[in-house]
Structure formats: C-alpha cells, structure tokens
RNA sequence: GGGGGAUUAGCUCAGCUGGCUAGAGCGCUUGCCUGGCAGGCAAGAGGUCACCGGUUCGACUCCGGUAUUCUCCA
C-alpha cells in the first residue's frame, strides 16, 4: 500500500467513527518560549487538555508534522546513522476530548491495524501499565488489561513500568497510563530463535513501537498530588513512517515510498548509489531526511537565520550539505533540486509545500551557495593553520576559532587533518567550546523569583481594544533579575488595557496611577503562557489597592497607524506585484513598520511609487475599521480573509477589515484609515533569497520626515543664495568643481616642477654626494612628494627638508637607496638624532624618514648638522 | 541577548610586527595583432582603504565608538 493511501485510510477510518479531520498545526511554534518546534501530535491540543478552552469537536483525527532535533533519543547528530531516526516525521493521531475513553480507543486501534492495515496479529504486542509503588502508589491499569484480553492473546500482552507506560506532559497538568502497540517485523527464523516479547522496548530496529495510546485520567497538581480528572481524554500517536515500513514489508523507514523517491533523485543528481557503501548510505539518509525538515520549516515561514529556530534550521541544512560535500562529492548546490520530488510526493497531504515550492528552492539554493563558500574559505584557512603548525597535533583552540568565527564544521576539520596525517587536539576544542557556552549563558542569565499570588482571580481579560484606561487589581507579581535589564518586576492584573507583544506588534507602554497619585511606569507588555505580563522597574507601594492602568496613548496611536498601514501595504503588494506575495514577517513599532514578503526581484521605482499611491489612496478614502471579534474560521476565510502560512488559528478568529483588505489579526488598529494621515516607504531591500523587506513610516513620523527634508532643502537653497533650482545649481557647482580640480592639479604639477627645478639647482656636492638641507613651506605629504620626485633617476642624493606647521616642526630626510647601501646610512637614525634639536622624535625607513617636534626654533640647527652625516 | 571575524578598484581578494608615493587577477576603455570559443600584445581609466573619534613625527595597519555583514553560543 502506498504511503499516501495509508495516511488517507487512517484519516478516513476515524472520520467514519465521527471524528473531524483537522489540518496539521504549523511545525514552527511562535509564541511559546519553552518550545521552538512541534515535537508531538498533542502540542496543538494542549489547551483542551489543560482545560483552558473548550474544544468545539470532541473527536478529532489528524496527521501532525513534527520536528525533533534535541533530546536523548534524537540528537541531530544521530540522524542518518541508523535507519529509523528522523528530524521531521509525521504523527498520526486520534483524539477524544472528554468523549470516548479506553474501550473505543483500544478497539479501534486494533481494528485499524488488523483489519484496515491487515497486519498479522501474531506480530503485534501490546503493553499495559503495571502500576507503581512510589509515592503515587498507582494501581495496575486493569481496565485496559481487560479490554486487551478480549482481543489479544495473553502472551502478547506485556507490562510496562512508569517510565514506559505512564505519560506526563510536564511537572503539572493532565497525565495518565498508556498502552503501546509494538510490531515485530523480523523474519520467521529469527522469531523462532528469540521470542519477540523479549525484544519489546529494547531499541531493536525491527521490533518497534508504532502506536501509543495515552489515557488521560489524572491531573498532577502543583504540590505533586494526583487527582482524578472530571472528563477523561484520549491522546494517541502513531509514527507514520514506521507504519509505512511495516505495511510495505521493508526493514527501514528509508526504504518506504516516503523516502525512496527522494533517495532516487539524490542518486540521479549525485551519481551515488544507495545500499552499496555505508558512509554513502548515511550521507544519503541524512540528506533525504534533512531536506524534508528544512522544506517544511520554510513552508511554515521559518527561514534559516542566525538566531533561534531559524538557526536550528540552518544547522540542519548545513549538516546535509556537509555530508553531501564529503561523501557524495557535491561541490555545487544540489539540495534545492530535491524540493520538486518532495512537493510531488507530499504536496497532496501538505499543500503548503506545493504553494511555497519556488520560495523553498530559492532559499535552499542560496543557503547552499553561501555555505559552500564558507567551506571553500575554511579549507584555505585550514591549509594556513596546517602550514604554520609545528608537530603533528593541531591546537584545538585554532580549530575552534575556525569553527566559531568562520563556521567551518569541526568534524570536517578532523577528517581533513586525519587524511593528511595530523591529529586534532579535541580536548582543547572542547575546552574552548565550554568557555563559549559559559560566556553565553552567564550573559543571558535571568533569575526569576517565585510568583507572589495576591488574588485567585485568574480570568484576566484584555480590554485594550476598547479602552486605554481601566481600573485594575494586581493578581500576582514576581521579581526578575537579568544582567542586561537589572532588577525588574513582572505583574499580572485581573484585566488590562495593555496590548501584549504579538503578531509583530510591540507591547504597550504606560503607567499605573495609585490612589495617592503616585505613578509606576509600565515599560513593556508581553504574553507568557496565555497570561499578560507587565514589566516595570518598581512595585506599587500598595499592592492590594486598585490602580488606574493607563496606556501611553500617543505610542498606541502611532503603533495602530503603522499596523493598519501594514495591512494596506500587504494588500497593495498583492495588487501591484501579484498573488505570489505572502507575508513572511512583520514588525510594527510606534516609530516605523517593517514588512517582509516573498517576491523574486527588486521593486522598481515605479512599483514602489504605485504601492505607496495605492496605500495613500486608501488612507484618503477614509475607510472605517470593520472589526469582527469572534467569528468562525470558515466564515472569515469565506469573506476572503488572508491567513498566513505557519500561523495557528483557533476556530473562532478576529478579523480586521478596511475596504477590501481583510486579515485575521489580533493587533490594534485605527478607527479609520484617515487617522494614518500618510504612508511613506523609507527603504526596500532583500533579507534572503526570494524575500524582500519594506520599511515604512506613517502619521507623525512622515510629518517629521518631510519637515526634516524641508529644513535641509531650505538650508541648501540658502547656501546657494536662494536659487530657484537647487538641482541645477549643484550640477553646475559639480561641473565647475571638477574643472577647477583639473586646473589646480595642473598648476600644482607645474609648481612642483618649478620647485623641483629650483631645488635641483641648489644641490651642492659634498664628498660625491648631492646634498641639500632646506626649510620649505609645504606639508608632510608635499615634502614627501617633492623628495621622491627629486630622487627619481638619481642614485647619490641626500636631502633634509624641514617645515613649520601649526607651531610644530617637521623634518624629512631622503637618501637614495644606492647611497644607503653604499655608505650604510639610515634616514631613520639620522632623523631621530636631528629630532633632538626640535624636541621630538620620529622614524621611518632607511631611505626616507620623518620626525616631528614642538620646537620650530631648532630647525636651523638641525639643518646645519645635516652635513655631518655626509662624511 | 553574548563572543569572535570581516568591510581596501565594478567583482574576487593580497597588503607580515605602524613608514615601499595602496597592489594582483578578472572586468572596463583605447590601439594594434589574430578565422577557432575565457583569443594575443600594449597603453590607460578606476580608491574618502565602511564611518566617526583617539594614540603617533607618521595610521589601510594600533585603540575606542557606530553601521553593515558573516559566524558560533544561548
């Protein structure tokens, strides 16, 4: 069975059991500081299990794209070395939110595997939680056991401990026992030798867990106690790639049709052959795996970058490039050519791949290109290190520098050194690495004290769409200390008019007014774990009183103007450039706005003007804000609202409409586009392959901008005697200037020639040496010039020139090189010695040197003494 | 957020511990030669050494700051 059919069958199977098929959440997580990527199917349903929100459907089925790049069993560096680890994978799952429980979950899982997938029952093993004797003192999961006994032979049921069969989300929250289903795909003769039951959960590549059924029935409280949940949930996760391996009768995930088309394409492009040589195989698996992870991330809007999640993506991509470079001899970009095959095979299930294919290819190609360049440069640097190295061991610190500063992979360094018979001092590298980590950690160290809870009211509300002032009560606060900000306080209120940073828009600033009239400034507002946290430098003197919370109105209005302008800009770009324009990032500040979008070429001056005009036409059109705070997602989309790739939306969404521009958005906006006053693009440029960035300003900032420009123009006009046409005047000035320059140059040349002629006349011959010591009225560069000029075509010249500038004395000594060699003279030494008379010092080269001093009165004496060196 | 590196001609880069009147290759312009794929030869133009400040007799070079960019760590 083809993988596409396996996925479709799974979704269809549960749809028939009244499940609603929902799309995969984005793989990249944007507003959870503790998690960068979706790493399990349940991530997007967390809020339902926590009870923070009520799901609209109680039965749901999906396939979730996941990325695991860290953790004990999935270190990035391990992927590719075996046949079953991946960075990116799909998790098939069926979910019950307070609906069915163990009976259905177990029966359906078994039905799907044995009836739909037709997997031989004899190969399947199931595990049941055996209970625990620790302080939780949990009983054996008799309920699950009884259910399994009805359908599975007794000898296929195994018991698992708390580590394997009791699932917890974190320190707190819903948890419960689970049942895993394992499958043994070894050949019959091996099964006969070693019973499969003994290999379950033993990391055997052919006796693997394919499905985990989690039964959430407890809630772990903050004090560590367990309590029964009023409504029980089911959370299941089945590794799609493993299921395909089992169904397609192969021994490796990479031999399923999820990967084989990509592997065939790698073979075609690189002429390498899979399944011949282990090193090559690893490289091919690494590339096949990583191109998936990288492509899906980019489709979700996460581009490779040098920070955060983007940096993880860059590392994954670079790891694949490096394996290709070393083992498949790919010295040119090639991975971007795999994107087509990937989008062909997975584009049906994940349309974002197909829609974003061009962008993914551009970005990957650009990344490959720049990393190959990095490798090239690194190879040269490594050559230098080796060439200047004494002995056979290369200093680990040097290798670290190569890695840290130039991005040259350490394992490649080790490999190349090995080939050349050198050894890498790995300890030195490790030490340098640890130092670097320590530095980073201590710099970003933040110490957070415990929350002080004053009030149990936890249903805080954001009222800032409608008001900028509100009477609030402090619910909890804590002190946070960081190196950068020093001591800060974080406060949570029962309700707040302050907008927390999100959707590209900055958090509100403002102040709290106390009953006695004192004021505490709020410096920033952020959302953390669905709570709105206010930052300040001090705490209010009285904690339990009510405060008047006041948002900085001016900043909020400017920000709102910029946010609305961002929507209009988005619309304008799609109108002017085409429908391929997608928002790729946005930053809305009070002073300016920044908008990143996919587009393949630099915008022309005409296009920029057209975009500006489009936006300004809508501003002068005085379009009113039409806000819909709570409408179903489908309805919003029907109205043509623009949703972003890689953005997670709930079932109910907020839409913001200005004329034809409709977007899903949580930010704050002006009441009418007329409030924006004016929109002005300040710059347009590239941020990555296929991504452009526009920076623009609105309202007051535009006024400031024009008034600044106007002021400058008046100043320029003033300088040009109030000319009517400054451009013409400046052009005329420039022409005149260049003409004068040429004339001056000619004159100076003429003058120098004359001076040179005069000075040559004044030369006297002493001991066969052409000599002159004289004070000139030139600066240091002029003296140098004339001295070198005079020295041309002469091999027995000795010059000492002096000058007085700004009350300081200057001596320059020139001696023909031939003379220097013959008589063993040194202008540097001479100038230093003569420097005494002008109370200064100096130096230079043997044939030309200068000295400076603060006593011009000594010049005469210095010139006088010059003769003394001729003997 | 923290550390390190880079910024020199249109492009790619040299320029060692401060002192050659800032160079090379490619490209460009002009002239001559040449029936063969990156043609050859010769001449020439092209630089605020990223920017600001400091140290020094003297700064592309050293120090501090700013900008841009690369890179590693978080």
């Amino acid at each position: 069975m083809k993988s596409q059919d396996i996925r479709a069958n799974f979704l269809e199977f549960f749809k028939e059991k009244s499940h609603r098929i929902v799309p995969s959440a984005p793989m990249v997580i944007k507003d959870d500081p503790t998690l960068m990527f979706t790493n399990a199917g349940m991530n997007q349903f967390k809020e339902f299990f926590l009870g923070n929100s009520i799901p609209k459907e109680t039965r749901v089925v999906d396939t979730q794209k996941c990325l695991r790049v860290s953790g004990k069993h999935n270190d990035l560096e391990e992927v590719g070395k075996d046949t079953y680890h991946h960075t990116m994978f799909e998790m098939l799952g069926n979910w019950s939110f307070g609906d069915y429980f163990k009976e259905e979950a177990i029966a359906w899982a078994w039905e799907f595997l044995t009836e739909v997938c037709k997997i031989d029952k004899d190969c399947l093993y199931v595990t049941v939680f055996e209970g625990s004797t620790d302080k939780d003192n949990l009983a054996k999961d008799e309920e699950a056991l009884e259910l399994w006994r009805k359908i599975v032979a007794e000898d296929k049921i195994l018991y698992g401990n708390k580590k394997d069969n009791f699932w917890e989300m974190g320190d707190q929250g819903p948890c419960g026992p689970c049942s895993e289903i394992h499958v043994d795909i070894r050949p019959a003769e091996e099964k006969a030798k070693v019973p499969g039951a003994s290999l379950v959960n033993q990391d055997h590549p052919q006796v693997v867990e394919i499905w985990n059924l989690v039964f959430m029935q407890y809630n772990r409280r903050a004090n560590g106690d367990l309590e029964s949940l009023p409504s029980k949930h089911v959370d299941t996760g089945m590794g799609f790639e493993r299921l395909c391996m089992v169904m397609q009768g192969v021994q490796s995930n990479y031999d399923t049709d999820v990967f084989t088309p990509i592997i065939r394409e790698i073979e075609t492009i690189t002429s390498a052959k899979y399944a011949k040589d282990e090193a090559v195989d690893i490289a091919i698996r690494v590339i096949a795996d990583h191109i998936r992870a990288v492509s899906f991330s980019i489709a979700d809007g996460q581009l490779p970058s040098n920070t955060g999640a983007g940096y993880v993506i860059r590392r994954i991509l670079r790891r694949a490039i490096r394996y290709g470079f070393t083992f498949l001899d790919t010295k040119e970009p090639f991975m971007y050519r795999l994107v087509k095959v990937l989008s062909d095979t997975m584009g049906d299930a994940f349309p974002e791949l197909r829609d974003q294919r061009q962008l993914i290819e551009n970005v990957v190609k650009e990344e490959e290109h720049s990393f190959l360049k990095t490798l090239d440069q690194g190879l040269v640097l490594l050559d230098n290190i080796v060439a200047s190295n004494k002995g056979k061991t290369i200093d680990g610190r040097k290798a670290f520098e190569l890695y840290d500063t130039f991005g040259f992979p350490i394992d490649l360094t080790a490999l190349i050194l090995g080939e050349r018979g050198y050894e890498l001092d790995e300890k030195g590298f490790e030490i340098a690495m640890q130092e670097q980590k320590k530095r980073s950690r201590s710099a970003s160290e933040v110490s957070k004290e415990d929350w002080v809870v004053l009030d149990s009211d936890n249903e805080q509300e954001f009222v800032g769409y409608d008001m900028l002032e509100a009477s609030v009560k402090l619910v909890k606060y804590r002190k946070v200390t960081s190196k950068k900000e020093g001591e800060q306080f974080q406060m949570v209120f029962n309700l707040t008019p302050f907008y927390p940073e999100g959707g590209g828009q900055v958090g509100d600033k403002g102040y709290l007014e106390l009953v006695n009239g004192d004021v505490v400034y709020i410096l920033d507002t952020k959302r953390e774990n669905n709570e709105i946290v206010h930052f300040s430098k001090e705490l209010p003197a009285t904690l339990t009183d009510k405060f008047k919370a006041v948002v900085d109105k001016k900043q909020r209005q400017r920000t709102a103007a910029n946010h609305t302008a961002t929507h209009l800009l988005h619309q304008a770009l799609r109108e002017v450039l085409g429908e391929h324009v997608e928002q790729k990032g946005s930053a809305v500040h009070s002073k300016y706005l920044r908008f990143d979008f996919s587009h393949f070429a630099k915008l022309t001056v005409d296009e920029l003007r057209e975009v500006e005009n489009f936006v300004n036409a809508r501003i002068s059109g005085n379009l009113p804000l039409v806000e819909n705070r709570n409408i179903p997602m489908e309805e919003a989309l029907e109205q043509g609202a623009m949703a972003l790739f890689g953005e997670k939306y709930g079932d109910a969404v907020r839409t913001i409409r200005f004329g034809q521009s409709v977007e899903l958005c949580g930010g704050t906006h002006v009441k009418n586009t007329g409030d924006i006053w004016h929109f002005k693009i300040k710059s347009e440029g590239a941020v990555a392959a296929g991504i452009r960035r526009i920076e623009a300003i609105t309202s007051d900032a535009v006024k400031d901008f024009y008034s600044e420009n106007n002021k400058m123009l008046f100043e320029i006009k003033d300088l040009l005697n109030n000319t009517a046409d400054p451009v013409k005047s400046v052009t005329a000035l420039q022409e005149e200037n260049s003409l004068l320059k040429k004339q001056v140059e000619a004159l100076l040349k003429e003058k120098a020639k004359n001076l040179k002629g005069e000075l040559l006349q004044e030369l006297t011959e002493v001991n066969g040496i052409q000599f002159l010591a004289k004070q000139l009225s030139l600066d240091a560069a002029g003296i140098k010039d004339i001295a070198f000029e005079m020295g041309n075509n002469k091999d027995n010249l000795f010059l000492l020139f002096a000058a007085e500038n700004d009350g300081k004395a200057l001596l320059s000594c020139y001696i023909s090189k031939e003379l220097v060699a013959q008589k063993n003279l040194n202008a540097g030494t001479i100038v230093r010695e003569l420097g005494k008379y002008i109370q200064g010092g100096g130096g230079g080269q043997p044939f030309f040197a200068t000295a400076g001093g603060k006593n011009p009165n000594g010049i005469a004496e210095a010139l006088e003494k010059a003769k003394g060196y001729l003997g």
Side-chain angles (χ1 to χ4, degrees):
Chain A
M1 197 184 291
K2 280 164 65 179
S3 59
Q4 269 121 321
D5 298 328
I6 296 172
R7 188 190 292 113
N9 284 346
F10 178 82
L11 297 174
E12 197 53 38
F13 177 81
F14 283 98
K15 190 184 172 189
E16 277 170 20
K17 311 243 182 267
S18 308
H19 288 62
R20 162 134 176 236
I21 301 176
V22 302
S24 171
M27 199 165 71
V28 184
I29 295 175
K30 292 202 173 126
D31 44 14
D32 185 347
T34 62
L35 204 56
M36 282 198 264
F37 302 99
T38 298
N39 63 7
M42 56 77 57
N43 288 155
Q44 71 160 321
F45 303 116
K46 215 164 150 181
E47 52 190 316
F48 301 148
F49 296 133
L50 285 169
N52 286 357
S53 47
I54 314 291
K56 226 171 68 182
E57 318 274 342
T58 56
R59 296 182 183 194
V60 160
V61 61
D62 72 350
T63 176
Q64 173 66 49
K65 42 192 177 178
C66 301
L67 190 69
R68 284 187 190 169
V69 284
S70 56
K72 199 175 159 201
H73 290 294
N74 216 312
D75 197 356
L76 176 59
E77 287 303 320
E78 295 307 312
V79 173
K81 292 182 179 162
D82 55 42
T83 58
Y84 52 93
H85 277 112
H86 300 293
T87 50
M88 185 251 161
F89 59 94
E90 278 180 69
M91 193 78 104
L92 302 170
N94 57 297
W95 313 83
S96 157
F97 309 121
D99 192 325
Y100 62 84
F101 204 47
K102 294 181 190 175
E103 184 174 355
E104 292 88 340
I106 288 174
W108 289 339
W110 192 254
E111 183 187 342
F112 179 74
L113 290 178
T114 57
E115 315 255 322
V116 179
C117 297
K118 306 224 181 313
I119 297 173
D120 184 357
K121 289 176 188 162
D122 291 338
C123 300
L124 293 172
Y125 294 85
V126 302
T127 63
V128 170
F129 180 50
E130 65 186 4
S132 79
T133 52
D134 59 5
K135 76 177 180 43
D136 288 335
N137 197 21
L138 291 157
K140 186 195 273 191
D141 191 356
E142 294 286 356
E143 195 184 349
L145 180 60
E146 281 314 311
L147 291 163
W148 281 121
R149 274 187 175 142
K150 286 186 200 163
I151 43 180
V152 187
E154 187 71 35
D155 65 330
K156 302 285 186 200
I157 301 177
L158 307 165
Y159 298 93
N161 59 20
K162 208 172 171 186
K163 181 177 144 280
D164 285 327
N165 282 74
F166 192 85
W167 188 89
E168 301 203 46
M169 199 162 71
D171 299 341
Q172 273 173 262
C175 54
C178 58
S179 265
E180 298 168 342
I181 303 175
H182 296 252
V183 58
D184 181 358
I185 55 169
R186 293 174 302 154
E189 55 268 29
E190 282 192 43
K191 284 181 185 167
K193 272 185 247 164
V194 183
S198 69
L199 296 173
V200 165
N201 271 333
Q202 301 298 315
D203 282 333
H204 192 287
Q206 282 153 38
V207 183
V208 294
E209 173 198 336
I210 53 169
W211 206 341
N212 190 5
L213 315 177
V214 180
F215 312 118
M216 295 197 201
Q217 58 190 95
Y218 302 109
N219 181 39
R220 170 83 66 190
R221 291 172 49 176
N223 64 10
D225 289 351
L226 288 176
E227 62 183 9
S228 247
L229 275 179
S231 63
K232 299 178 172 37
H233 313 292
V234 173
D235 155 11
T236 84
M238 174 152 60
F240 173 66
E241 291 77 10
R242 283 186 184 177
L243 179 63
C244 290
M245 170 175 83
V246 173
M247 300 270 305
Q248 295 177 357
V250 291
Q251 306 288 301
S252 152
N253 290 356
Y254 291 92
D255 291 334
T256 65
D257 68 350
V258 178
F259 285 97
T260 46
I262 302 173
I263 290 175
R264 291 294 92 78
E265 190 68 15
I266 296 171
E267 290 179 322
T268 309
I269 292 172
T270 65
S271 315
K273 279 277 156 279
Y274 189 61
K276 288 258 188 293
D277 169 32
E278 182 63 10
V280 171
D281 291 356
I282 291 173
I284 291 177
R285 286 196 292 264
V286 165
I287 293 162
D289 176 274
H290 292 5
I291 190 65
R292 280 165 34 105
V294 170
S295 298
F296 273 91
S297 299
I298 297 173
D300 270 358
Q302 182 57 65
L303 301 177
S305 73
N306 56 3
T307 51
Y311 183 55
V312 174
I313 300 306
R314 171 168 283 170
R315 259 169 41 198
I316 295 174
L317 181 54
R318 290 190 164 186
R319 180 168 184 259
I321 299 169
R322 169 162 48 89
Y323 269 89
F325 183 85
T326 307
F327 299 104
L328 308 182
D329 205 33
T330 49
K331 308 296 184 230
E332 293 291 323
F334 72 101
M335 286 185 58
Y336 74 97
R337 291 162 69 187
L338 302 171
V339 177
K340 180 180 185 305
V341 151
L342 182 64
S343 101
D344 286 349
T345 52
M346 301 192 76
D348 282 337
F350 302 95
E352 65 270 27
L353 271 187
R354 195 168 287 156
D355 294 337
Q356 307 274 323
R357 185 184 136 197
Q358 186 69 51
L359 176 74
I360 298 168
E361 287 178 346
N362 284 342
V363 170
V364 170
K365 189 177 178 183
E366 185 63 32
E367 279 288 312
E368 288 191 85
H369 188 78
S370 77
F371 187 56
L372 287 169
K373 202 171 139 189
T374 304
L375 289 180
D376 263 351
Q377 283 170 349
L379 289 172
V380 173
L381 291 168
L382 185 56
D383 277 343
N384 292 342
I385 292 176
V386 171
S388 66
N389 195 68
K390 295 181 194 101
K392 282 283 156 194
T393 305
I394 303 289
D395 186 359
R397 286 185 179 275
K398 288 240 173 84
F400 179 75
E401 189 189 317
L402 196 59
Y403 166 74
D404 180 43
T405 305
F406 301 100
F408 196 74
I410 186 62
D411 49 357
L412 200 53
T413 302
L415 194 80
I416 291 169
L417 291 179
E419 281 170 4
R420 299 192 193 171
Y422 288 88
E423 208 177 320
L424 173 67
D425 158 32
E426 284 179 27
K427 263 191 193 142
F429 177 85
E430 206 43 52
I431 290 168
M433 188 76 183
Q434 290 311 321
E435 281 171 9
Q436 148 101 318
K437 288 193 176 180
K438 210 170 140 191
R439 255 200 315 270
S440 291
R441 218 175 292 132
S442 73
S444 62
E445 214 158 59
V446 182
S447 78
K448 294 176 179 169
E449 290 186 2
D450 282 337
W451 284 105
V452 179
V453 180
L454 299 173
D455 200 323
S456 60
D457 177 2
N458 225 352
E459 280 187 36
Q460 15 151 340
E461 211 184 321
F462 175 64
V463 297
Y465 291 137
D466 304 305
M467 36 188 142
L468 295 178
E469 281 183 29
S471 173
V472 303
K473 257 177 79 185
L474 189 59
V475 169
K476 60 179 183 174
Y477 69 92
R478 69 176 170 183
K479 188 160 97 177
V480 175
T481 312
S482 70
K483 212 167 189 175
K484 182 143 188 293
E485 302 286 349
E487 274 187 12
Q488 277 197 318
F489 292 94
Q490 300 186 332
M491 293 181 278
V492 175
F493 303 110
N494 60 333
L495 56 86
T496 180
F498 282 79
Y499 179 82
E501 181 180 314
Q505 183 179 328
V506 292
D508 277 333
K509 289 183 170 64
Y511 61 89
L512 299 174
E513 196 182 311
L514 278 58
V515 179
N516 64 6
D518 282 357
V519 159
V520 171
Y521 289 98
I522 302 293
L523 306 171
D524 201 1
T525 313
K526 285 183 178 165
R527 188 178 286 277
E528 243 174 61
N529 297 321
N530 218 23
E531 284 177 328
I532 300 175
V533 182
H534 305 71
F535 291 73
S536 76
K537 273 279 167 203
E538 50 179 347
L539 277 178
T542 52
L543 295 168
T544 48
D545 286 354
K546 288 218 163 198
F547 312 117
K548 190 163 87 174
V550 183
V551 173
D552 181 335
K553 199 172 156 192
K554 200 156 197 177
Q555 188 201 298
R556 167 69 87 79
Q557 276 170 348
R558 288 176 178 180
T559 308
N562 282 337
H563 204 151
T564 303
T566 301
H567 285 201
L568 296 176
L569 171 62
H570 191 185
Q571 186 196 2
L573 288 168
R574 289 174 70 93
E575 196 70 33
V576 173
L577 303 177
E579 295 288 303
H580 63 277
V581 169
E582 294 276 354
Q583 175 173 339
K584 286 295 162 202
S586 159
V588 179
H589 295 250
S590 60
K591 294 199 170 109
Y592 69 100
L593 65 97
R594 203 173 67 201
F595 190 75
D596 296 347
F597 57 99
S598 50
H599 184 58
F600 40 81
K602 183 168 179 59
L603 269 68
T604 63
V605 177
D606 285 345
E607 283 168 339
L608 284 173
R609 199 172 43 216
E610 213 180 317
V611 168
E612 251 180 33
N613 290 344
F614 185 97
V615 174
N616 281 318
R618 267 134 202 89
I619 290 170
S620 45
N622 285 316
L623 304 170
L625 162 68
V626 182
E627 180 192 2
N628 215 327
R629 288 217 188 137
N630 200 354
I631 67 167
M633 179 78 171
E634 294 88 27
E635 205 180 316
L637 293 177
E638 269 166 36
Q639 289 178 13
M642 263 185 283
L644 306 177
F645 277 113
E647 212 51 65
K648 186 189 157 193
Y649 298 103
D651 291 324
V653 294
R654 177 171 180 255
T655 61
I656 294 296
R657 172 196 287 273
F658 289 98
Q660 295 303 304
S661 156
V662 192
E663 294 203 28
L664 303 180
C665 180
T668 60
H669 288 268
V670 294
K671 294 271 177 283
N672 188 297
T673 56
D675 300 343
I676 300 173
W677 191 72
H678 196 74
F679 170 82
K680 172 98 195 101
I681 293 175
K682 293 275 301 239
S683 71
E684 189 271 348
V687 276
I691 310 278
R692 314 287 310 171
R693 166 173 296 174
I694 280 182
E695 288 183 321
I697 51 176
T698 65
S699 63
D700 291 353
V702 181
K703 288 181 189 170
D704 292 345
F705 175 74
Y706 280 128
S707 93
E708 273 296 307
N709 278 3
N710 207 34
K711 194 175 147 218
M712 207 193 308
L713 181 63
F714 273 116
E715 282 170 7
I716 290 170
K717 275 190 173 177
D718 198 39
L719 287 172
L720 298 168
N721 295 326
N722 287 317
T723 171
D725 187 347
V727 175
K728 200 174 152 193
S729 304
V730 170
T731 314
L733 274 179
Q734 278 179 334
E735 278 167 10
E736 195 185 345
N737 184 39
S738 96
L739 191 72
L740 287 175
K741 248 189 195 162
K742 275 181 193 154
Q743 286 178 355
V744 167
E745 207 175 317
L747 279 172
L748 281 178
K749 240 182 204 163
E750 185 69 23
K751 193 184 159 199
K753 216 167 140 191
N754 289 339
L755 182 59
K756 186 177 138 195
E758 281 169 30
L759 292 174
L760 284 172
Q761 294 286 314
E762 293 179 39
L763 287 174
T764 52
E765 187 150 326
V766 183
N767 294 338
I769 298 171
Q770 305 247 328
F771 170 75
L772 179 64
K774 191 174 163 76
Q775 180 163 358
L776 304 173
S777 50
L778 287 172
D779 65 351
I783 289 176
K784 193 175 187 177
D785 256 4
I786 203 98
F788 277 84
E789 280 285 323
M790 289 172 70
N792 265 344
N793 312 320
K794 282 201 188 301
D795 56 7
N796 60 341
L797 195 64
F798 187 113
L799 299 172
L800 182 72
F801 289 139
E804 185 185 338
N805 284 319
D806 302 330
K808 286 186 185 169
L810 177 76
L811 294 178
S812 294
C813 178
Y814 178 94
I815 307 170
S816 295
K817 282 182 181 165
E818 291 80 356
L819 214 53
V820 169
Q822 249 173 55
K823 305 250 175 181
N824 201 21
L825 290 171
N826 189 327
T829 325
I830 294 170
V831 114
R832 240 187 308 274
E833 284 170 11
L834 295 176
K836 284 187 295 198
Y837 302 109
I838 55 166
Q839 292 178 29
Q845 305 140 92
F847 80 100
F848 184 79
T850 56
K854 46 193 170 186
N855 178 23
N857 297 328
I859 288 178
E861 199 173 359
L863 290 172
E864 195 52 41
K865 299 281 182 195
K867 260 184 210 149
Y869 294 96
L870 302 173

